[in-house]
Amino acid sequence: MRGQQQVYDYLASCGITFDYYEHPEAPTIEIASQFYRGEGTVLCKNLFFRNHKGNKHYLDIMDARHNMDIHDIEHKLHQGKLSFASPERMMKYLGVRPGSVSLFTLVNDVNHEVILFVDNQLLQAEKVSFHPNDNTASLVISKDDMLKFIERIGNKYEFLDLY
């Protein structure tokens, strides 16, 4: 697993500041929401998929308060049949174990193979929260810094209505 320091170093190189919150391991949204902090902050759900051929990978980020069925996501993304990526694929492409995937894991995708889909609703948020390559902490950044990160990281991305 590639660690938190890589995320902190990358954020610093982009001039992105963050609030750091350490907490017990939180591998699911249900658990993470117990440790959720920050008024005006949207806790983000991060879903890592692969297409049916296994040759394309997608990271979807959205407000954690909204549920999404995989068939709904298939319909919204227009990428064909999707399935959740295996722990092995997660490690290969994002360098993390299940429960630690987030926007920040794209720092580990050095070949920019993962396509990012961001729900438009996150553009209404003041601040957003993600794990920093490890689900024992959360970082809160501004929406503007999230957009800066997305622009700088180099992965293909698209904003759309996921729900």
Side-chain angles (χ1 to χ4, degrees):
M1 186 170 79
R2 299 177 199 128
Q4 294 180 21
Q5 192 59 48
Q6 187 173 358
V7 172
Y8 306 146
D9 293 345
Y10 189 82
L11 293 176
S13 76
C14 295
I16 295 174
T17 59
F18 56 85
D19 293 326
Y20 172 87
Y21 298 101
E22 191 171 332
H23 49 69
E25 188 171 354
T28 66
I29 288 299
E30 293 76 21
I31 296 170
S33 64
Q34 296 173 23
F35 308 111
Y36 172 70
R37 294 187 191 167
E39 288 185 36
T41 301
V42 173
L43 176 63
C44 294
K45 181 185 302 188
N46 309 272
L47 304 171
F48 186 52
F49 297 105
R50 68 174 189 87
N51 68 352
H52 72 283
K53 292 181 182 178
N55 63 351
K56 292 189 179 179
H57 296 82
Y58 312 96
L59 176 60
D60 298 357
I61 61 172
M62 65 187 79
D63 187 326
R65 294 174 290 186
H66 299 282
N67 291 322
M68 179 60 68
D69 177 276
I70 192 167
H71 300 294
D72 291 339
I73 291 176
E74 288 172 345
H75 178 74
K76 299 276 185 173
L77 300 185
H78 305 288
Q79 300 295 316
K81 185 163 176 52
L82 301 175
S83 61
F84 287 102
S86 67
E88 294 78 19
R89 286 177 186 270
M90 198 173 292
M91 185 59 71
K92 177 180 178 181
Y93 291 95
L94 298 176
V96 296
R97 59 189 167 84
S100 294
V101 170
S102 81
L103 175 65
F104 297 142
T105 57
L106 291 177
V107 300
N108 299 325
D109 181 21
V110 295
N111 296 318
H112 309 295
E113 296 180 72
V114 177
I115 299 168
L116 175 65
F117 290 100
V118 181
D119 187 75
N120 278 323
Q121 292 296 315
L122 292 182
L123 298 175
Q124 307 306 311
E126 181 182 328
K127 296 178 182 180
V128 290
S129 176
F130 299 100
H131 291 312
N133 282 353
D134 187 323
N135 63 23
T136 60
S138 295
L139 304 183
V140 174
I141 61 172
S142 71
K143 173 202 57 180
D144 291 340
D145 282 340
M146 176 187 72
L147 296 173
K148 183 191 295 185
F149 179 91
I150 291 169
E151 282 290 324
R152 298 261 323 254
I153 200 66
N155 291 67
K156 290 181 184 176
Y157 66 91
E158 185 176 337
F159 292 91
L160 44 84
D161 294 321
L162 289 176
Y163 46 88

